[in-house]
Amino acid sequence: VTTPVTTEDLVVIGTKSETKEAVIRELAERLVAAGRVTDIDAYLSEVAKREEVMATGIQGGIGIPHGRSDSVTAPSVAVATSVAGIPFGAPDGPAHLIFLIAAPTGADDSHLQILAAIARRVMRDEFREALRNATEPAFIAETITKEVQQ
């Protein structure tokens, strides 16, 4: 049985976080609580390194921070929606949907597949809007898992 990439306990609707560091930490704490990340500091430092290399904000109000770490136990996506928006370096403004991708270190490129799948889906307006307007964490979790886990 494959672990679903995300579950409703990994989804934050209407985060109060205002910076990308704060929202990344908030989502990483969810991953730790779910047993998907064993060492939050090790994982956060990988995500921060990735953010320094290149901003992970993409067109359409999306942030996709991600990191690979030995402390990740299963490929996972934690999701936050933000009403105000959080700057992730995208040219068109702040992110209202944030997907934090966690992947175990190793040869397997599952995180790249997850990243690509999310990046492709969020290009579709109706997909973005459905997630952005969602009021139920379970809806977001089911939608992401269905779309990303083939």
Side-chain angles (χ1 to χ4, degrees):
V1 180
T2 324
T3 309
V5 292
T6 191
T7 51
E8 62 185 290
D9 55 331
L10 299 178
V11 177
V12 179
I13 302 270
T15 176
K16 300 290 178 260
S17 294
E18 294 176 1
T19 64
K20 68 180 181 182
E21 294 76 17
V23 76
I24 289 170
R25 175 167 286 276
E26 179 182 14
L27 291 174
E29 285 168 358
R30 295 287 181 111
L31 292 169
V32 170
R36 291 169 179 248
V37 170
T38 55
D39 179 339
I40 192 167
D41 295 322
Y43 173 67
L44 287 173
S45 93
E46 289 305 317
V47 175
K49 274 188 224 160
R50 183 73 198 73
E51 286 290 320
E52 281 164 23
V53 175
M54 202 175 96
T56 54
I58 59 173
Q59 200 97 23
I62 311 294
I64 312 185
H66 50 282
R68 296 174 83 148
S69 168
D70 292 335
S71 66
V72 177
T73 60
S76 304
V77 182
V79 185
T81 64
S82 167
V83 178
I86 299 170
F88 263 87
D92 65 340
H96 295 277
L97 279 174
I98 297 92
F99 302 93
L100 177 62
I101 300 174
T105 313
D108 145 330
D109 61 355
S110 58
H111 79 291
L112 295 175
Q113 289 161 6
I114 293 170
L115 194 66
I118 290 175
R120 275 196 306 274
R121 301 304 186 285
V122 296
M123 293 299 143
R124 299 203 314 255
D125 294 342
E126 66 279 10
F127 180 76
R128 255 198 335 265
E129 290 308 308
L131 294 183
R132 192 181 285 180
N133 298 326
T135 53
E136 291 300 320
F139 171 80
I140 291 182
E142 284 157 22
T143 303
I144 297 292
T145 299
K146 189 177 80 212
E147 291 279 350
V148 168
Q149 246 168 350
Q150 303 307 346

